[in-house]
């Protein structure tokens, strides 16, 4: 299995971020990890990357419930980012929500590859690796 | 011989005739003269005409004189009553004669009986008055009845049937009908009163039928000697009439007493409106007060419904359909009622509408129930929705903590580094206190949602605010916040004390928490009384919220909009629920970097006035 170069985690829960980072290290998931605490921070950060002419991370783990800008709003704004490799970015929703309305709504976004229910496990990340790399 | 023959011919003449001399003494007469005129005296030759007919009127005597003088021919009709009491119409034909040689003169008189012709004429007159009618008469002197063929047909009698008064009366239905007829005839006989009555007749074949009898009487010497009149079969008409009466009565009972349906008519040409009694009741208008114009009607319709009614009515008239309309009206006492009307349109041959005819009834009760039901359904749906959301929120929030806990414990089991173990335990502690906090929030929400029946109390708004302000004095001073409180001390609201404290505290802490770092916080609190409500405004000059972006979510659970360490997204959610539990409302206005204004609506306490003695007693009890 190949390694992913850059991954982005968008979540407001520090414990989740700690855990995900730790599992990523364990299974040697990627080289770089970008972390944003809400949708707005993420959009700002990603726009900054684009402005510098750099490539966007190829995998984004996105939480749904966040302050200031939630996961849904992030998706709406993200698809507007002008970057030639945006289409190479794969988004995974990672949420605690078992609300079928959320699962259904996710299907409406082509850019979202899958819906992963928290807690995230090493196996989940291995599957992502198999899909993407 | 010639004289003898002449005498014979005269005696046997087919005319009742007589010859008198210049002093009106009978010289000769035919046999019929005596018979027809009921003259009982065996020999009237040589007797005066005026002795035999003492009632001869002056005008006929005058004719006699004229004819004697000029030997001319004249005639005059006279109604006579013979010595046997028969009434006759006699046409006296008189001709004068003169015999120059013998110097004799006199009159030739023919008495033509025209009674039958005269009676037919009278009957005909009656028939003309009321068409298709039989005629009849009873002659009391001869005790004879004359019935026309139609009259006999109505009685179902053979055409040669001999009728008299007693027999005639027995054809009327026993009881009220026969009594009615007998009474009419008695009145006629004693006072000469004519009649026009409708009664039931039992025919010769036993059929019951309604007939109309019109009668008049002929009085001679203050005595009724003859009654005559017309007779009509009105059975069909009468039965339809009675049937209609019955239906109409039934309809009246049904519409007035049972269903309270009012009937109206609108004549389009002259804009005239007719209301029945019931419609007056429905519209709450005293009978006689309604002017019967379309303008007067329009004035009663609720202004908000008027244009719709007008449009519906116009299109109804145009598309030729019968229609139902529902609208509100305002009673003279100001009460609003819901009305439903169904109507039909009558048209002229060219299709132009001539008249609207409608039935109206009051549907206020069912309408109110319908509205209540709709409200209830809405509330139920909302509650269902909010319950569903709540369940998902609970599951989401509990899951996010539980997943963290399970992840951290998993790491802990495999961790070898002591330093990292301490770090994990610290995180475990954080996660479990977060879970604890979440559970506390959720139980708070559940409390509000399930204890909305908690009793409200009369609370002085100013005092309540002062109390909360005092509790957070330290916080306000730390931020150098200025608080302008403009609340009249006389304002009392109906509130659950614990909820009110929680709401006010949340508003204060929100304003401080989201105050702008660029300026000192200024909080302005005002309240005004409107009818039975108190409108309470709580304004700050803080960060503000982009309502276009977040407006919908502002009062949602676990929604936060600022990057603040204490943002939990629970405060406004609970505030909203607490206010709604007290039948209040909360609204928000905000501009980014300018400030936020919350507008709350509470129920005002309606003061009940106690008699002074009671007030004293109360005070006493308080001591």
């Amino acid at each position: 299995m190949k390694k992913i170069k850059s991954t982005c985690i968008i979540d407001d829960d520090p414990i989740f971020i700690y855990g995900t980072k730790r599992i990523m290290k364990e299974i040697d998931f990627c080289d770089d990890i970008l972390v944003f605490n809400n949708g707005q921070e993420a959009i700002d950060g990603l726009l900054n990357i684009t402005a510098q002419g750099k490539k966007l991370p190829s995998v984004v783990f996105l939480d749904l419930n966040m302050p200031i800008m939630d996961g849904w709003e992030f998706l709406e704004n993200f698809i507007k980012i002008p970057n030639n490799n945006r289409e190479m970015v794969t988004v995974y929703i990672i949420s605690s929500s078992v609300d079928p309305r959320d699962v259904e709504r996710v299907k409406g976004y082509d850019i979202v590859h899958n819906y992963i229910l928290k807690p995230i496990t090493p196996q989940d990340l291995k599957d992502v690796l198999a899909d993407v790399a | 011989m010639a004289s003898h023959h002449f005498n014979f011919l005269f005696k046997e003449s087919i005319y009742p005739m007589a010859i008198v001399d210049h002093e009106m003494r009978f010289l000769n007469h035919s046999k019929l003269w005596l018979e027809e005129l009921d003259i009982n005296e065996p020999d009237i030759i040589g007797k005066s005409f005026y002795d035999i007919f003492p009632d001869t009127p002056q005008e006929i005597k005058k004719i006699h004189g004229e004819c004697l003088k000029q030997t001319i021919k004249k005639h005059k009709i006279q109604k006579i009553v013979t010595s046997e009491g028969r009434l006759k119409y006699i046409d006296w034909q008189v001709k004068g004669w003169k015999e120059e040689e013998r110097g004799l003169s006199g009159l030739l008189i023919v008495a033509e009986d025209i009674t039958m012709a005269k009676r037919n004429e009278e009957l005909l007159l009656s028939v003309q008055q009321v068409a298709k009618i039989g005629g009849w008469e009873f002659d009391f002197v001869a005790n004879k009845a004359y019935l026309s063929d139609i009259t006999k047909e109505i009685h179902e009698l053979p055409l040669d049937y001999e009728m008299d008064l007693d027999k005639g009366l027995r054809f009327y239905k026993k009881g009220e009908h026969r009594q009615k007829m007998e009474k009419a005839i008695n009145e006629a006989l004693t006072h000469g009163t004519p009649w026009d009555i409708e009664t039931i007749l039992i025919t010769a074949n036993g059929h019951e039928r309604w007939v109309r009898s019109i009668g008049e009487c002929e009085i001679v010497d203050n005595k009724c000697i003859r009654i005559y009149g017309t007779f009509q079969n009105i059975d069909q008409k009468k039965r339809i009439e009675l049937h209609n009466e019955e239906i109409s009565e039934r309809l009246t009972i049904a519409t007035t007493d049972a269903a309270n349906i009012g009937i109206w008519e609108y004549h389009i040409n002259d804009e005239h409106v007719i209301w029945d009694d019931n419609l007056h009741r429905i519209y709450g208008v005293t009978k006689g007060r309604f002017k019967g114009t379309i303008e007067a009607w329009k004035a009663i319709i609720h202004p908000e419904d008027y244009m719709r009614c007008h449009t519906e009515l116009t299109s109804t008239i145009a598309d030729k359909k019968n229609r139902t309309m529902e609208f509100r009206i305002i009673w003279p006492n100001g009460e609003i009622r819901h009305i439903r009307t169904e109507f039909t349109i009558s048209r002229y041959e060219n299709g132009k509408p001539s008249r609207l005819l409608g039935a109206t009834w009051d549907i206020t009760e069912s309408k109110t129930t319908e509205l209540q039901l709709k409200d209830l359904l809405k509330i139920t749906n909302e509650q269902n929705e909010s319950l569903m959301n709540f369940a998902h929120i609970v599951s989401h929030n509990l899951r996010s903590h539980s997943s963290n806990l399970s992840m951290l414990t998993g790491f802990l089991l495999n961790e070898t580094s002591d330093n990292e173990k301490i770090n994990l335990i610290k995180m475990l502690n954080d996660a479990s206190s977060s879970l604890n906090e979440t559970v506390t929030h959720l139980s708070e929400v559940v409390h509000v949602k399930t204890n909305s029946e908690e009793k409200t109390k009369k609370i002085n708004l100013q005092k309540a605010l002062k109390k909360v302000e005092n509790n957070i004095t330290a916080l306000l001073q730390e931020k150098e916040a200025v608080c302008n409180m403009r609340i009249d001390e006389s304002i009392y609201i109906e509130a659950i004390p614990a909820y009110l404290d929680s709401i006010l505290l949340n508003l204060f802490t929100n304003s401080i928490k989201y105050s702008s770092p660029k300026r000192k916080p200024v909080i302005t609190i005002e309240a005004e009384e409107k009818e039975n409500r108190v409108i309470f405004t709580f304004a700050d000059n803080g960060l503000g919220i982009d309502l276009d972006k977040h407006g919908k979510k502002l009062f949602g659970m676990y929604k936060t909009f600022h990057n603040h360490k204490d943002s939990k997204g629970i405060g406004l959610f609970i505030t909203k629920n607490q206010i709604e539990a007290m039948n209040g409302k909360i609204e928000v206005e905000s501009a980014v970097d300018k400030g936020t204004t919350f507008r709350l609506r509470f129920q005002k306490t309606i003061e009940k006035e106690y008699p002074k003695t009671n007030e004293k007693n109360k005070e006493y009890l308080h001591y």
Side-chain angles (χ1 to χ4, degrees), chain A residues 13 15-16 18-19 22-23 38 40-41 65 67-68 70 73 95-101 117-119, chain B residues 388-389 392 395-396 399-400 403-404 406-408 411 415 420 423-424 427 431 550 553 560-563:
Chain A
D13 179 356
I15 294 175
F16 171 80
Y18 167 83
R22 194 176 157 136
I23 297 168
N38 64 60
Q40 190 61 56
E41 271 185 22
N65 290 288
I68 304 175
D70 66 17
E73 289 167 296
S95 172
S96 323
S97 172
V98 286
D99 189 339
R101 286 173 297 184
L117 203 60
K118 286 180 185 177
Chain B
M388 182 101 147
N389 280 337
H392 282 297
S395 117
H396 174 267
R399 283 206 49 159
S400 62
S403 65
N404 279 347
S406 72
M407 188 173 69
L408 290 171
F411 292 152
E415 188 56 61
E420 195 56 28
N423 192 23
L424 282 170
M427 276 192 276
H550 308 297
K553 299 185 286 183
T560 51
F561 313 98
H562 297 100
N563 222 352

Side-chain angles (χ1 to χ4, degrees), chain A residues 22-102:
Chain A
R22 194 176 157 136
I23 297 168
M24 282 178 175
K25 260 182 212 158
E26 269 176 28
I27 66 158
D28 201 13
F29 185 78
C30 59
D31 292 335
D32 294 321
I33 303 170
L34 277 168
V35 175
F36 301 110
N37 284 316
N38 64 60
Q40 190 61 56
E41 271 185 22
I43 289 291
D44 292 347
L46 295 177
L47 279 173
N48 198 26
I49 290 170
T50 311
Q52 289 171 20
K54 291 180 191 166
K55 281 193 173 178
L56 292 175
S58 48
V59 173
V60 172
F61 292 114
L62 178 66
D63 185 23
L64 289 177
N65 290 288
M66 288 179 290
I68 304 175
M69 185 190 282
D70 66 17
W72 305 114
E73 289 167 296
F74 171 81
L75 286 173
E76 294 297 332
N77 285 291
F78 179 68
I79 51 177
K80 290 175 196 157
I81 293 180
N83 189 300
N84 50 12
N85 87 321
R86 197 197 67 224
E87 277 149 33
M88 305 298 288
V89 179
T90 312
V91 178
Y92 288 85
I93 301 290
I94 304 195
S95 172
S96 323
S97 172
V98 286
D99 189 339
R101 286 173 297 184
D102 285 341

